[in-house]
Amino acid sequence: MANTEFPAIETSRLLLRPVEPGDAPAIYAYQSDAEIYRYMNTEPPASADAVAETIRQWLELRAEDRPPPWVIIFKETGRVAGRIGLDHLNREHSAGWLDYQLARELWGRGIATEAVRAVLGYGFGTLGLNRIGAYCWDGNAASQRVMEKAGMQYEGTLRQIRFAKGAYRDLRYYSMLAEEWRAGNA
Ligand SMILES: CC(C)(COP(=O)(O)OP(=O)(O)OC[C@H]1O[C@@H](n2cnc3c(N)ncnc32)[C@H](O)[C@@H]1OP(=O)(O)O)[C@@H](O)C(=O)NCCC(=O)NCCS
């Protein structure tokens, strides 16, 4: 399984393509909304330069089974409106982890779910993974719902596993197995 170069993936409303250095201003534009980071450990990036540095690190990590994420392009506008990653790819266990975020102006239209389904399809169908996991902070109802709608199973909650933004946070874990993906896509 798994090389570290992802191809572009097209869905009915979206183009997912690997992030490029030139995406920094567009990513910063949506990430500078603090609401995006409400249920995340980190704060919004300080500047487009900070995003450019993150992209540079992603691109350099390519060789370590942490492929750079895709940007989510909403075809209707042609704009970069989010990102989705499939990383921590583990060859021995054929497993990987998903994470995603979307510009607030597009929330509630099923876009993240469409992107997650596409990446699950790529992970199981093309990379041959056996398991794809994801997690969110307890309370991140939108992210929970995305994982459920995409067909991922709730596995359990790790209580107060993380100290972030002044409090201990519970993390809810989800996953899908290849056999479940195949059953849903037969
Ligand atoms: C999580 C996120 C990607 C969802 O994107 P999205 O495109 O709006 O997601 P979808 O439209 O596919 O699905 C969202 C679902 O959550 C539901 N939802 C949203 N807010 C909710 C809330 N406060 N309570 C209950 N359900 C909620 C929506 O109604 C929808 O479900 P439905 O289709 O059954 O009505 C987006 O909110 C985001 O970027 N959040 C900030 C970053 C983040 O938290 N990323 C995940 C880190 S684990």
Side-chain angles (χ1 to χ4, degrees), residues 35-40 99-104 106-114 135-137 139-147 149:
E35 188 61 20
I36 298 272
Y37 286 82
R38 181 164 168 196
Y39 300 107
M40 296 173 71
D99 78 300
Y100 44 82
Q101 56 180 212
L102 187 74
R104 179 142 58 133
L106 292 175
W107 287 4
R109 298 171 64 175
I111 291 175
T113 306
E114 189 169 319
Y135 59 82
C136 66
W137 281 22
N140 190 349
S143 184
Q144 242 175 262
R145 190 76 194 110
V146 166
M147 293 184 273
K149 285 195 295 179

Side-chain angles (χ1 to χ4, degrees), residues 9 11-14 16 72 83-84 98-102 106-121 141-152 176 181:
I9 300 173
T11 69
S12 59
R13 291 180 296 172
L14 309 176
L16 312 181
I72 300 172
R83 70 165 165 79
I84 181 162
L98 258 183
D99 78 300
Y100 44 82
Q101 56 180 212
L102 187 74
L106 292 175
W107 287 4
R109 298 171 64 175
I111 291 175
T113 306
E114 189 169 319
V116 166
R117 286 192 177 123
V119 170
L120 289 171
S143 184
Q144 242 175 262
R145 190 76 194 110
V146 166
M147 293 184 273
E148 288 163 4
K149 285 195 295 179
M152 300 178 82
M176 182 179 271
W181 179 78

Side-chain angles (χ1 to χ4, degrees), residues 38-40 135-144 147 154 156-161 168-174:
R38 181 164 168 196
Y39 300 107
M40 296 173 71
Y135 59 82
C136 66
W137 281 22
D138 190 32
N140 190 349
S143 184
Q144 242 175 262
M147 293 184 273
Y154 171 65
T157 293
L158 295 186
R159 297 176 306 150
Q160 301 195 2
I161 182 77
Y168 290 105
R169 307 293 176 178
D170 295 348
L171 294 185
R172 295 174 62 91
Y173 279 76
Y174 289 76

